[in-house]
Amino acid sequence: MEPVSPVFAGRAAELAELRAAHARACAGEAAAVLVGGEAGGGKTRLVTEFARDVRTLTGPCLDLGAASLPYAPFTAILRRLGRDAVVSLMPAAALPELARLMPGLTAAEPPPDDGTGQMRLFEHVLALAERLGAQDPVTLVVEDAHWADRSTRDLLSFLFRNPPRAGVLLVVTFRPEEPGTRPLFADLARLPHATRLDLPPLTRAEVADQVRGILGAADPAMVRDVHARGGGNPLFVEALVGSAGAAVPGSLRELLLARVRRLPEPARAALHAASAAGDRVGHGLLAAVTGLSDPGLSEALRPAADHGLLVPDGDGYAFWHALIREAVHEDLLPGERSALHRRFAETIGRSPELSDAPESALAVHWQGCGDHAQALAAAWEAAWERQAAAAYAEQLSLLERVLDLWDRVPDAEPLTGCTRHAVLEAATAAAGAIGEPGRGLPLIQRALDETDRRREPAHAARRLTLRAQMRGYQGDEDELDDLRQAERLATGPVRVEVLTRLSSRLLVYGEMDEGERLGREGLALARASGARRAVAHLEITVAEAAARDGDGDPAALERLRHRPLGPWERLRVLNTLAHCRLNTGRPADALALTAEGLAVAEDSGLTHSAGLAPAVNQVEALYRLGRWDEAAGTLQKRLDRHHAPAFRVHMMIWRIALLAAWGTGPAPDPEALAVPLDAGFPQTALPLAQMIAEWRLAEDDRPGARAAVDAVLRHPRLTVQPCHLWPLLETAAHAGGPRLPEIAAVASRLPAATPVAEAHAAAVTALTGGPAAWDAVITAWERMEQPYPLARALFHAACADLAAGDRAAAASRLDRAAGIAGRLGAAPLARRISERARRAGLSGPSGGPLTARESEVLRLLARGRSNREIADELFISPKTASVHVSRIIAKLGVSSRGEAVAAARDRGLA
């Protein structure tokens, strides 16, 4: 056998890092490790050494390009786990979904894919990992992820961004030099719970250890030679040992081929044939392709196994290292390679039971031998195989291959049973499913350019709808133009499809009346035609339009809430109702709805997808109710578990809100602050701009606040949803400056149809020079039980009282506002209240008695302790200590830590 060192040379620090990550996972922390190293650099050996002492399930990615089985490493992990274990761990409803990865898991078919199949699959894989870890800590290893298909990469990204609970460590190995996947691994490595290990070359001393393990001794001259030639690459070192002093080939590929060329001819021929199959090939298939009997094939391959080139793998063979397979396959002459691909294709075609590879492998073999017709047919079949597996990226690649071959195959249409335009439409839909409109737009544009809209109105309408979908993903408002053109052309079933899309998108753009009208028309057509999925979607759209963000009638949504619906539909209804409750000043009701939504998401395995919207609404409801500690804790818990960028931006809105209100706390993600405020959806841009402006105002940075306001006032869809604009306008009015007349003008044209909008409208009027109706604002916030805006309204009303000379009313309101600010810990507002009272010559307002914990903190504060020292002494977090200090400052009606200590001493509190 060729030299393989039994000694694990070097990598001690990297092994320690892996073990430390495993310890963190076992202790309940999120943990993941990315192991990067050049080809032959020892990634697998490192992970193998680590796996000796821990429970590990490993799945490799295979170097098969488009022929790769989607989710191959996860399929391998499930197979190693075993059917019985999966069935015992997962609920029956999850098994048909997981059967996409593990055929034969259950007799039940996966449910029809409504576009959420991939996300449901991802959720179930995460749930399975968590249940495994709850039983006993487990490490999931995905090897050679630089070869991963796009769907596997998406699943890996999902698991990294939504790390499993305690007991699960994710380990991924990859080659950093592969440009296609480099950005993905760089992005994942930035996650707070991820550790990246880049394996350096072995030192000369470590090479000596490796050589000593192989030969029993390490001649210094040989070590110097091998280290110099091999550059510290472990696989190169193993190939070089025994060749020192001889004429040694200059590249690793040549070294590996030298090992192959020393084999007997039958072994070389069998190895060449195996390389055309990929990293692994079944014994029966390889025997049929080579024409050898079972014993004959075993005899032929024995020398390859003895020389460390091939290893038994289940009922087949795998190359010892992917580099060996690459070298062997690249060494084939073009004619040899073509002949082998044809033999594989013909053999699999005659006896498909010999191959467990997907249909796409057959397409690769046919294309490899230049048979375009067979390659096209196989790629077409494989594309739908991929769709059934919820592997939309691979489906798109295969459909693009079909399109590339189309003009070379005269009978392409009868082979596929459809037109080229239908292939273009299917490919566009697949591009939409993976969120890559840049690939989908050129495809559907080709179809549209070749469509006669007068003769083919239905086809034109469908293609315009697909183009609108791609444009919508890019944030291009031309999507509405496409949809309106499609609506004018569409009749019959296509009209239902168009109206379903158009009505829901009109709501996003604030066109509620038109959205409701067209939604009702589509609903009637869908009911008449029996299109049940469209009926459910359109019923919700019509109900949402009628509710008008809380401005209208939510009765239809309430009725739907109590109807039997699928989990995605039920969550959509609950989220919309919670949104409406927030907009009508009923945060307690909204909080109850978010709890119901989160329970539906948990029960349905949708916590990390459809469950994210109720999670955001939950934090907002807690913030509105003044339950800021709960809001901050819930927010942090979610941020620890969810790292999807869009979700984090929405959560950052409320982190910034808490930071502005408390005057202290964790900083927002830089990515959230980089979001353009004059573009994108107003549902995100307007609240984000408002909270950034509030934060700047809390820090007395009026120019910064006005800059945020100025940016968002340029938003092209500024006024489409008044529920998001009214709070922004009030904050803009607080910021003041030259924009005040513009703010007043916008407010004068904006409807204020909810109690929340009315309160904001009255405040904007008062702040921009109109009549000061602060009593009405105060009454409104009292009724809605929202303490923070109530305290702010009391403060501004007191300022108005002072301007009018009513000092008694001002003192009463300032005292009440200070009490609320103190209870909330709203330090910036408390300072403003205290300073205004002092300037007016009023006695300092009292924010209520200190709690027992606040008294402890105050005593430590008086001894000069920092927040961290207070935290250490009281066994609390520095953030909690900071909040207590802010509340003490607010309750004492002072503006700094020093003033708090002085006031406490004056009053005998410290």
Side-chain angles (χ1 to χ4, degrees):
M1 184 169 178
E2 291 291 327
V4 176
S5 178
V7 172
F8 178 63
R11 313 296 189 223
E14 291 81 4
L15 182 59
E17 287 272 16
L18 275 171
R19 287 173 174 162
H22 184 260
R24 291 196 298 274
C26 292
E29 297 181 38
V33 181
L34 292 156
V35 181
E38 65 177 344
K43 301 181 293 295
T44 299
R45 186 65 183 272
L46 170 65
V47 172
T48 301
E49 193 71 20
F50 164 72
R52 294 183 194 281
D53 305 320
V54 300
R55 181 188 180 206
T56 304
L57 293 169
T58 300
C61 298
L62 305 178
D63 182 20
L64 299 178
S68 288
L69 186 70
Y71 311 114
F74 294 98
T75 295
I77 286 170
L78 261 64
R79 285 177 175 163
R80 287 181 170 87
L81 185 59
R83 179 186 178 279
D84 292 346
V86 176
V87 170
S88 69
L89 284 166
M90 296 299 289
L95 299 180
E97 304 277 7
L98 288 170
R100 301 179 197 272
L101 302 183
M102 192 179 189
L105 184 61
T106 177
E109 291 290 323
D113 190 6
D114 58 358
T116 64
Q118 187 175 73
M119 188 51 66
R120 294 198 309 269
L121 175 63
F122 288 8
E123 294 263 15
H124 289 314
V125 171
L126 175 58
L128 176 61
E130 291 182 335
R131 293 180 185 208
L132 270 172
Q135 275 190 336
D136 187 29
V138 63
T139 299
L140 303 181
V141 179
V142 173
E143 290 198 296
D144 295 321
H146 50 277
W147 283 326
D149 57 275
R150 165 66 187 273
S151 294
T152 295
R153 297 199 302 271
D154 288 345
L155 177 48
L156 275 176
S157 182
F158 176 83
L159 293 174
F160 266 74
R161 295 183 187 284
N162 301 278
R165 295 189 180 98
V168 182
L169 174 64
L170 298 171
V171 176
V172 176
T173 72
F174 69 100
R175 295 184 195 170
E177 67 267 22
E178 298 292 335
T181 51
R182 193 181 300 151
L184 168 68
F185 299 122
D187 192 35
L188 296 182
R190 284 192 286 269
L191 294 172
H193 59 279
T195 301
R196 176 163 174 169
L197 303 177
D198 286 296
L199 304 186
L202 296 180
T203 65
R204 186 185 295 180
E206 290 164 346
V207 167
D209 290 340
Q210 190 181 5
V211 172
R212 196 175 294 111
I214 296 170
L215 301 178
D219 176 70
M222 173 186 280
V223 169
R224 281 196 303 274
D225 178 68
V226 168
H227 181 260
R229 290 175 180 271
N233 180 294
L235 185 65
F236 215 155
V237 169
E238 289 179 354
L240 283 163
V241 167
S243 302
V248 180
S251 73
L252 179 56
R253 178 178 174 274
E254 290 170 340
L255 275 172
L256 296 174
L257 286 175
R259 295 166 69 178
V260 174
R261 289 166 184 153
R262 289 198 292 270
L263 297 175
E265 171 54 32
R268 290 202 306 274
L271 205 61
H272 284 148
S275 75
D279 285 348
R280 185 194 179 281
V281 63
H283 177 90
L285 177 58
L286 188 58
V289 166
T290 59
L292 296 171
S293 65
D294 286 348
L297 179 61
S298 298
E299 184 180 349
L301 289 176
R302 174 65 63 185
D306 290 343
H307 283 72
L309 299 168
L310 211 62
V311 294
D313 183 43
D315 61 350
Y317 309 96
F319 283 88
W320 173 254
H321 196 284
L323 285 174
I324 299 171
R325 185 255 167 188
E326 289 177 24
V328 171
H329 194 58
E330 289 172 7
D331 195 47
L332 291 169
L333 295 172
E336 293 173 319
R337 193 177 296 125
S338 176
L340 280 170
H341 279 303
R342 180 171 293 279
R343 291 213 296 274
F344 270 105
E346 290 172 345
T347 302
I348 295 170
R350 285 193 307 269
S351 307
E353 71 280 0
L354 291 175
S355 174
D356 60 0
E359 187 75 22
S360 55
L362 190 56
V364 169
H365 288 311
W366 282 122
Q367 191 156 353
C369 67
D371 193 323
H372 299 315
Q374 294 278 17
L376 183 145
W380 176 250
E381 289 297 322
W384 303 110
E385 203 180 70
R386 291 295 188 272
Q387 186 187 52
Y392 311 120
E394 288 65 50
Q395 180 195 13
L396 174 57
S397 295
L398 286 159
L399 290 173
E400 288 173 333
R401 176 175 294 182
V402 168
L403 291 167
D404 287 341
L405 292 169
W406 194 274
D407 291 335
R408 302 183 220 176
V409 179
D411 53 351
E413 194 165 320
L415 270 174
T416 58
C418 70
T419 65
R420 187 171 66 87
H421 287 162
V423 181
L424 288 165
E425 290 178 18
T428 303
I434 60 172
E436 288 201 9
R439 288 171 72 182
L441 266 172
L443 296 168
I444 200 60
Q445 190 61 55
R446 282 163 62 187
L448 271 170
D449 290 343
E450 298 167 8
T451 303
D452 187 326
R453 299 190 184 190
R454 291 187 177 182
R455 294 184 180 180
E456 304 174 283
H459 289 312
R462 178 178 288 112
R463 289 161 197 166
L464 283 164
T465 303
L466 279 168
R467 187 171 72 178
Q469 183 182 352
M470 298 301 106
R471 286 177 161 176
Y473 286 144
Q474 291 185 327
D476 183 348
E477 295 187 26
D478 286 345
E479 66 167 318
L480 282 187
D481 293 337
D482 277 351
L483 288 169
R484 286 188 168 118
Q485 288 183 54
E487 185 270 327
R488 289 192 289 271
L489 292 167
T491 59
V494 175
R495 186 164 184 80
V496 173
E497 179 185 334
V498 172
L499 291 176
T500 300
R501 178 82 184 173
L502 175 55
S503 59
S504 65
R505 296 306 292 167
L506 284 167
L507 302 194
V508 173
Y509 287 92
E511 302 289 344
M512 299 292 184
D513 292 335
E514 187 182 4
E516 184 175 3
R517 176 178 62 80
L518 292 174
R520 291 188 183 282
E521 181 191 341
L523 182 56
L525 291 172
R527 284 172 173 158
S529 64
R532 285 187 294 178
R533 279 181 56 198
V535 166
H537 188 94
L538 285 160
E539 282 180 331
I540 298 173
T541 298
V542 170
E544 288 174 333
R548 299 290 198 278
D549 290 321
D551 293 359
D553 182 4
L557 278 171
E558 288 287 3
R559 288 193 295 272
L560 284 170
R561 177 187 176 188
H562 300 292
R563 285 248 309 270
L565 296 170
W568 285 85
E569 291 78 14
R570 180 167 299 284
L571 279 162
R572 183 178 162 195
V573 169
L574 291 169
N575 289 336
T576 306
L577 278 171
H579 170 69
C580 291
R581 296 289 194 274
L582 288 166
N583 293 338
T584 51
R586 296 163 64 186
D589 289 351
L591 188 62
L593 286 162
T594 64
E596 186 178 342
L598 289 167
V600 170
E602 182 74 27
D603 292 345
S604 308
L606 300 173
T607 300
H608 303 268
S609 49
L612 297 182
V616 174
N617 285 337
Q618 180 187 44
V619 172
E620 179 178 357
L622 289 168
Y623 172 83
R624 301 288 181 205
L625 288 165
R627 292 161 58 176
W628 291 354
D629 283 334
E630 289 177 70
T634 302
L635 188 154
Q636 189 58 54
K637 178 182 172 185
R638 296 289 178 184
L639 290 176
D640 287 344
R641 291 213 66 209
H642 306 288
H643 297 272
F647 172 75
R648 292 185 73 85
V649 167
H650 282 280
M651 278 297 191
M652 283 304 118
I653 291 170
W654 302 107
R655 170 164 278 181
I656 297 168
L658 288 166
L659 179 59
W662 266 333
T664 185
D669 287 353
E671 292 79 3
L673 300 180
V675 171
L677 300 178
D678 57 353
F681 289 114
Q683 299 94 320
T684 301
L686 271 62
L688 180 59
Q690 180 211 346
M691 295 311 178
I692 289 173
E694 291 279 2
W695 177 29
R696 300 305 184 204
L697 287 173
E699 296 190 335
D700 295 323
D701 178 11
R702 285 186 178 273
R706 290 168 184 163
V709 169
D710 289 348
V712 80
L713 287 179
R714 296 193 295 269
H715 198 289
R717 299 201 299 276
L718 182 68
T719 60
V720 299
Q721 284 184 290
C723 62
H724 296 300
L725 183 53
W726 273 121
L728 171 72
L729 290 178
E730 181 176 345
T731 298
H734 283 301
R739 288 274 195 176
L740 276 180
E742 181 183 346
I743 293 162
V746 172
S748 69
R749 299 189 299 270
L750 197 67
T754 67
V756 171
E758 289 172 355
H760 285 303
V764 169
T765 299
L767 291 165
T768 55
W774 289 111
D775 285 337
V777 179
I778 291 167
T779 301
W781 291 122
E782 285 174 332
R783 286 180 184 148
M784 292 183 280
E785 298 181 353
Q786 297 196 38
Y788 187 51
L790 171 59
R792 290 173 56 147
L794 285 164
F795 170 70
H796 287 288
C799 293
D801 290 336
L802 287 171
D806 192 344
R807 292 172 58 80
S812 173
R813 282 172 162 161
L814 286 172
D815 191 57
R816 188 179 171 201
I820 297 170
R823 287 191 295 276
L824 292 173
L829 177 59
R831 284 196 294 271
R832 295 179 67 200
I833 294 167
S834 177
E835 288 164 5
R836 189 69 186 91
R838 280 203 299 272
R839 286 202 310 273
L842 300 174
S843 59
S846 169
L850 299 181
T851 66
R853 174 64 83 182
E854 287 164 352
S855 297
E856 288 181 290
V857 171
L858 182 56
R859 282 193 290 274
L860 294 172
L861 201 62
R863 295 173 190 164
R865 302 288 196 272
S866 68
N867 286 357
R868 179 165 292 282
E869 289 168 335
I870 292 170
D872 291 343
E873 202 154 332
L874 297 180
F875 300 102
I876 58 178
S877 71
K879 176 185 174 300
T880 302
S882 174
V883 170
H884 284 312
V885 171
S886 296
R887 288 179 176 169
I888 291 165
I889 290 171
K891 287 184 177 183
L892 296 178
V894 296
S895 59
S896 69
R897 295 163 67 96
E899 288 182 22
V901 171
R905 285 176 176 150
D906 290 342
R907 301 177 197 182
L909 299 176

